[in-house]
Amino acid sequence: MTVGKINSGDDYEVAILKVKDINHTFETIVDKVTIEIMDENQDSIIEMAIELK
């Protein structure tokens, strides 16, 4: 699952309109959380990984 950052109110409104009709259920067991930074080239840099017990 990806959680992103939206930079403006206008972008937020567009994102809400694009997903407002999606009604899916997603279930899983999470055993690790990885925090990544996306650079200006959209390359992923792993900042931290946390194992969950």
Side-chain angles (χ1 to χ4, degrees):
M1 177 182 297
T2 300
V3 178
K5 177 181 172 186
I6 297 177
N7 294 316
S8 74
D10 290 338
D11 289 343
Y12 175 78
E13 293 296 327
V14 170
I16 292 297
L17 288 173
K18 286 183 177 181
V19 300
K20 70 179 179 120
D21 294 325
I22 297 174
N23 187 22
H24 297 291
T25 300
F26 176 77
E27 294 183 37
T28 189
I29 296 172
V30 176
D31 58 6
K32 182 181 359 178
V33 175
T34 304
I35 300 163
E36 300 181 20
I37 307 270
M38 301 301 289
D39 70 11
E40 61 276 351
N41 297 319
Q42 296 299 310
D43 294 322
S44 170
I45 302 163
I46 295 177
E47 182 76 13
M48 178 186 309
I50 302 167
E51 297 283 340
L52 304 176
K53 297 179 182 180

Coordinates of all heavy atoms in Angstrom, one line a residue:
M1 N 0.8 -1.2 0.0 CA 0.0 0.0 0.0 C 0.9 1.2 0.0 O 1.9 1.3 0.7 CB -0.9 0.0 1.2 CG -1.7 1.2 1.3 SD -2.8 1.3 2.8 CE -3.8 -0.2 2.6
T2 N 0.5 2.2 -0.8 CA 1.3 3.4 -0.8 C 0.5 4.6 -0.3 O -0.7 4.7 -0.6 CB 1.7 3.8 -2.3 OG1 2.5 2.7 -2.8 CG2 2.5 5.1 -2.4
V3 N 1.1 5.4 0.6 CA 0.5 6.6 1.1 C 1.3 7.7 0.5 O 2.5 7.8 0.7 CB 0.5 6.6 2.6 CG1 -0.1 7.9 3.1 CG2 -0.2 5.4 3.2
G4 N 0.6 8.7 -0.2 CA 1.4 9.7 -0.8 C 1.1 11.1 -0.2 O 0.2 11.2 0.7
K5 N 1.7 12.1 -0.7 CA 1.6 13.4 -0.3 C 1.0 14.3 -1.4 O 1.5 14.2 -2.5 CB 2.9 14.0 0.1 CG 2.9 15.4 0.6 CD 4.3 15.9 0.9 CE 4.3 17.4 1.2 NZ 5.7 17.9 1.4
I6 N -0.1 15.0 -1.1 CA -0.7 15.9 -2.2 C -0.3 17.3 -1.8 O -0.5 17.7 -0.6 CB -2.2 15.6 -2.2 CG1 -2.5 14.2 -2.6 CG2 -2.9 16.6 -3.1 CD1 -4.0 13.8 -2.7
N7 N 0.2 18.0 -2.8 CA 0.8 19.3 -2.5 C -0.2 20.5 -2.5 O 0.2 21.6 -2.0 CB 1.9 19.6 -3.5 CG 3.1 18.6 -3.3 OD1 3.5 18.4 -2.2 ND2 3.6 18.1 -4.4
S8 N -1.4 20.3 -3.0 CA -2.3 21.5 -3.0 C -3.7 21.1 -2.9 O -4.1 19.9 -3.1 CB -2.1 22.3 -4.4 OG -2.8 21.5 -5.4
G9 N -4.5 22.0 -2.5 CA -6.0 21.7 -2.3 C -6.6 21.3 -3.6 O -7.5 20.5 -3.7
D10 N -6.2 22.0 -4.7 CA -6.7 21.6 -6.0 C -6.4 20.2 -6.4 O -7.3 19.4 -6.9 CB -6.2 22.5 -7.1 CG -6.8 24.0 -7.0 OD1 -7.9 24.1 -6.4 OD2 -6.1 24.9 -7.5
D11 N -5.1 19.7 -6.2 CA -4.8 18.4 -6.4 C -5.5 17.4 -5.6 O -5.9 16.3 -6.0 CB -3.3 18.2 -6.2 CG -2.4 18.9 -7.2 OD1 -2.9 19.2 -8.3 OD2 -1.2 19.0 -7.0
Y12 N -5.8 17.8 -4.3 CA -6.6 17.0 -3.4 C -8.0 16.7 -4.0 O -8.5 15.6 -4.0 CB -6.7 17.6 -2.0 CG -7.6 16.9 -1.1 CD1 -7.1 15.7 -0.4 CD2 -8.8 17.4 -0.8 CE1 -8.0 15.0 0.4 CE2 -9.7 16.7 0.1 CZ -9.2 15.5 0.7 OH -10.1 14.9 1.5
E13 N -8.6 17.8 -4.4 CA -10.0 17.7 -5.0 C -10.0 16.8 -6.2 O -10.9 16.0 -6.4 CB -10.5 19.1 -5.3 CG -10.8 20.0 -4.1 CD -11.8 19.5 -3.2 OE1 -12.8 18.8 -3.7 OE2 -11.7 19.7 -2.0
V14 N -9.0 16.9 -7.1 CA -9.0 16.0 -8.3 C -8.8 14.6 -7.8 O -9.5 13.7 -8.4 CB -7.8 16.5 -9.2 CG1 -7.5 15.4 -10.3 CG2 -8.1 17.8 -9.8
A15 N -7.9 14.3 -6.9 CA -7.7 13.0 -6.4 C -9.0 12.4 -5.8 O -9.3 11.2 -6.1 CB -6.6 12.9 -5.3
I16 N -9.7 13.1 -5.0 CA -11.0 12.7 -4.4 C -12.0 12.3 -5.5 O -12.7 11.3 -5.5 CB -11.6 13.7 -3.5 CG1 -10.7 13.9 -2.2 CG2 -13.0 13.4 -3.1 CD1 -10.6 12.6 -1.4
L17 N -12.1 13.2 -6.5 CA -13.0 12.9 -7.6 C -12.7 11.6 -8.4 O -13.6 10.9 -8.8 CB -13.1 14.1 -8.6 CG -13.8 15.3 -8.1 CD1 -13.6 16.5 -9.1 CD2 -15.3 15.0 -7.9
K18 N -11.4 11.3 -8.5 CA -10.9 10.1 -9.3 C -11.2 8.9 -8.5 O -11.4 7.8 -9.1 CB -9.5 10.2 -9.6 CG -9.1 11.2 -10.6 CD -7.6 11.2 -10.9 CE -7.3 12.1 -12.1 NZ -5.8 12.1 -12.4
V19 N -11.3 8.9 -7.2 CA -11.4 7.7 -6.4 C -12.8 7.6 -5.7 O -13.0 6.5 -5.0 CB -10.3 7.5 -5.4 CG1 -8.9 7.4 -6.1 CG2 -10.3 8.6 -4.3
K20 N -13.6 8.5 -5.8 CA -14.8 8.5 -5.0 C -15.8 7.3 -5.2 O -16.5 7.0 -4.3 CB -15.6 9.8 -5.2 CG -16.2 10.0 -6.5 CD -17.0 11.3 -6.7 CE -17.6 11.3 -8.1 NZ -19.0 11.4 -8.1
D21 N -15.7 6.7 -6.4 CA -16.6 5.6 -6.7 C -15.9 4.2 -6.4 O -16.6 3.2 -6.7 CB -17.1 5.7 -8.1 CG -18.0 6.9 -8.3 OD1 -18.8 7.2 -7.3 OD2 -18.0 7.5 -9.4
I22 N -14.7 4.2 -6.0 CA -14.0 3.0 -5.8 C -14.5 2.4 -4.4 O -14.4 3.2 -3.4 CB -12.5 3.1 -5.8 CG1 -12.0 3.6 -7.2 CG2 -11.8 1.9 -5.3 CD1 -10.5 3.9 -7.2
N23 N -14.9 1.2 -4.4 CA -15.4 0.6 -3.1 C -14.9 -0.8 -3.0 O -15.6 -1.8 -3.1 CB -17.0 0.6 -3.2 CG -17.5 0.2 -1.8 OD1 -16.8 0.2 -0.8 ND2 -18.7 -0.3 -1.8
H24 N -13.6 -0.9 -2.8 CA -12.9 -2.2 -2.7 C -12.5 -2.4 -1.2 O -12.2 -1.5 -0.5 CB -11.6 -2.3 -3.5 CG -11.9 -2.1 -5.0 ND1 -12.5 -3.1 -5.7 CD2 -11.6 -1.1 -5.8 CE1 -12.6 -2.7 -7.0 NE2 -12.0 -1.5 -7.1
T25 N -12.5 -3.7 -0.8 CA -12.0 -4.1 0.5 C -10.6 -4.8 0.3 O -10.5 -5.6 -0.6 CB -13.0 -5.0 1.2 OG1 -14.2 -4.4 1.3 CG2 -12.5 -5.4 2.5
F26 N -9.7 -4.4 1.1 CA -8.3 -5.0 1.0 C -8.0 -5.4 2.4 O -8.0 -4.7 3.4 CB -7.3 -3.9 0.5 CG -5.9 -4.4 0.5 CD1 -5.5 -5.2 -0.5 CD2 -5.0 -4.0 1.5 CE1 -4.2 -5.7 -0.5 CE2 -3.7 -4.5 1.5 CZ -3.3 -5.3 0.5
E27 N -7.7 -6.7 2.5 CA -7.3 -7.3 3.8 C -5.9 -8.0 3.7 O -5.7 -8.7 2.7 CB -8.3 -8.3 4.3 CG -9.7 -7.6 4.6 CD -10.7 -8.6 5.2 OE1 -10.2 -9.5 5.9 OE2 -11.8 -8.5 4.9
T28 N -5.1 -7.8 4.7 CA -3.8 -8.5 4.6 C -3.2 -8.5 6.1 O -3.7 -7.8 6.9 CB -2.8 -7.8 3.7 OG1 -1.6 -8.6 3.5 CG2 -2.4 -6.4 4.1
I29 N -2.1 -9.2 6.2 CA -1.4 -9.1 7.5 C -0.1 -8.4 7.2 O 0.6 -8.7 6.3 CB -1.1 -10.6 8.0 CG1 -2.4 -11.3 8.4 CG2 -0.1 -10.5 9.2 CD1 -2.2 -12.7 8.7
V30 N 0.1 -7.3 8.0 CA 1.3 -6.5 7.8 C 2.4 -7.0 8.8 O 2.1 -7.0 10.0 CB 1.0 -5.0 8.0 CG1 2.2 -4.1 7.9 CG2 -0.1 -4.5 7.0
D31 N 3.6 -7.3 8.3 CA 4.7 -7.7 9.1 C 5.9 -6.8 9.1 O 6.8 -6.9 9.8 CB 5.1 -9.2 8.9 CG 5.5 -9.4 7.4 OD1 5.6 -8.4 6.7 OD2 5.8 -10.5 7.1
K32 N 5.8 -5.8 8.1 CA 6.9 -4.9 8.0 C 6.3 -3.6 7.4 O 5.5 -3.6 6.5 CB 8.0 -5.4 7.1 CG 9.2 -4.4 7.1 CD 10.4 -4.7 6.2 CE 10.5 -6.0 5.5 NZ 11.8 -6.1 4.7
V33 N 6.8 -2.4 7.9 CA 6.5 -1.1 7.4 C 7.8 -0.5 6.8 O 8.8 -0.5 7.6 CB 5.8 -0.2 8.4 CG1 5.6 1.2 7.9 CG2 4.5 -0.8 9.0
T34 N 7.8 -0.1 5.6 CA 9.0 0.5 5.0 C 8.6 1.9 4.6 O 7.6 2.2 4.0 CB 9.4 -0.3 3.7 OG1 9.6 -1.7 4.1 CG2 10.7 0.3 3.1
I35 N 9.5 2.8 5.0 CA 9.3 4.2 4.7 C 10.3 4.6 3.6 O 11.5 4.4 3.8 CB 9.6 5.1 6.0 CG1 8.5 4.7 7.0 CG2 9.5 6.6 5.6 CD1 8.9 5.1 8.4
E36 N 9.8 5.1 2.5 CA 10.7 5.4 1.4 C 10.5 6.9 1.0 O 9.5 7.5 1.2 CB 10.2 4.6 0.1 CG 10.4 3.1 0.4 CD 10.0 2.3 -0.9 OE1 10.0 2.8 -2.0 OE2 9.7 1.1 -0.7
I37 N 11.6 7.4 0.5 CA 11.6 8.8 -0.1 C 11.7 8.6 -1.6 O 12.5 7.9 -2.1 CB 12.8 9.6 0.4 CG1 12.9 9.5 1.9 CG2 12.8 11.0 -0.1 CD1 12.2 10.6 2.7
M38 N 10.8 9.3 -2.3 CA 10.9 9.3 -3.7 C 11.6 10.6 -4.2 O 11.2 11.7 -3.8 CB 9.5 9.3 -4.3 CG 8.6 8.1 -3.9 SD 9.3 6.6 -4.4 CE 9.1 6.6 -6.1
D39 N 12.7 10.4 -4.9 CA 13.5 11.6 -5.3 C 12.8 12.2 -6.6 O 11.8 11.8 -7.1 CB 15.0 11.3 -5.5 CG 15.3 10.4 -6.7 OD1 14.4 10.2 -7.5 OD2 16.4 9.9 -6.8
E40 N 13.5 13.3 -7.1 CA 12.9 14.0 -8.2 C 12.8 13.1 -9.5 O 12.1 13.5 -10.4 CB 13.7 15.3 -8.5 CG 15.2 15.1 -8.8 CD 16.1 14.9 -7.6 OE1 15.6 15.2 -6.5 OE2 17.2 14.6 -7.8
N41 N 13.6 12.1 -9.6 CA 13.5 11.1 -10.7 C 12.6 10.0 -10.5 O 12.6 9.0 -11.2 CB 14.9 10.6 -11.0 CG 15.9 11.7 -11.4 OD1 15.5 12.6 -12.2 ND2 17.1 11.6 -11.0
Q42 N 11.8 10.0 -9.4 CA 10.9 9.0 -9.0 C 11.6 7.7 -8.6 O 11.1 6.6 -8.6 CB 9.9 8.7 -10.0 CG 8.9 9.9 -10.3 CD 8.1 10.3 -9.1 OE1 7.5 9.4 -8.4 NE2 8.2 11.5 -8.7
D43 N 12.9 7.8 -8.2 CA 13.7 6.7 -7.6 C 13.3 6.6 -6.2 O 13.2 7.6 -5.5 CB 15.2 6.9 -7.8 CG 15.6 6.8 -9.3 OD1 15.0 6.0 -10.0 OD2 16.5 7.6 -9.7
S44 N 13.3 5.3 -5.7 CA 12.9 5.1 -4.3 C 14.1 4.9 -3.4 O 15.0 4.1 -3.8 CB 12.1 3.8 -4.2 OG 11.9 3.4 -2.9
I45 N 14.2 5.7 -2.3 CA 15.3 5.6 -1.4 C 14.7 5.1 -0.1 O 13.8 5.8 0.5 CB 16.0 6.9 -1.2 CG1 16.5 7.4 -2.5 CG2 17.1 6.8 -0.1 CD1 16.8 8.9 -2.5
I46 N 15.1 3.9 0.4 CA 14.5 3.4 1.7 C 15.1 4.2 2.8 O 16.3 4.2 3.0 CB 14.8 1.9 1.8 CG1 14.0 1.1 0.7 CG2 14.3 1.4 3.2 CD1 14.2 -0.4 0.7
E47 N 14.2 4.8 3.6 CA 14.6 5.6 4.7 C 14.7 4.8 6.0 O 15.6 4.9 6.8 CB 13.6 6.8 4.9 CG 13.9 7.7 6.0 CD 15.0 8.7 5.7 OE1 15.4 8.8 4.6 OE2 15.5 9.3 6.7
M48 N 13.7 3.8 6.1 CA 13.6 3.0 7.3 C 12.7 1.8 7.0 O 11.8 1.9 6.3 CB 13.0 3.9 8.4 CG 12.8 3.2 9.8 SD 12.0 4.3 11.0 CE 12.9 5.8 10.9
A49 N 13.0 0.7 7.7 CA 12.1 -0.5 7.6 C 11.9 -0.9 9.1 O 12.9 -1.0 9.8 CB 12.7 -1.6 6.8
I50 N 10.7 -1.1 9.4 CA 10.3 -1.5 10.8 C 9.6 -2.9 10.7 O 8.6 -3.0 10.1 CB 9.4 -0.5 11.5 CG1 10.1 0.9 11.5 CG2 9.0 -0.9 12.9 CD1 9.1 2.0 11.8
E51 N 10.2 -3.9 11.4 CA 9.6 -5.2 11.5 C 8.5 -5.2 12.6 O 8.8 -4.6 13.7 CB 10.6 -6.3 11.8 CG 11.7 -6.5 10.8 CD 11.2 -7.3 9.6 OE1 10.2 -8.0 9.7 OE2 11.9 -7.1 8.5
L52 N 7.4 -5.7 12.3 CA 6.3 -5.7 13.3 C 6.2 -7.1 13.9 O 6.4 -8.1 13.2 CB 5.0 -5.3 12.6 CG 4.9 -4.0 11.9 CD1 3.6 -3.8 11.3 CD2 5.2 -2.8 12.9
K53 N 5.9 -7.2 15.2 CA 5.9 -8.5 15.8 C 4.5 -8.8 16.3 O 3.7 -8.0 16.5 CB 6.8 -8.5 17.1 CG 8.2 -8.3 16.7 CD 9.1 -8.3 17.9 CE 10.5 -8.0 17.5 NZ 11.4 -8.0 18.6

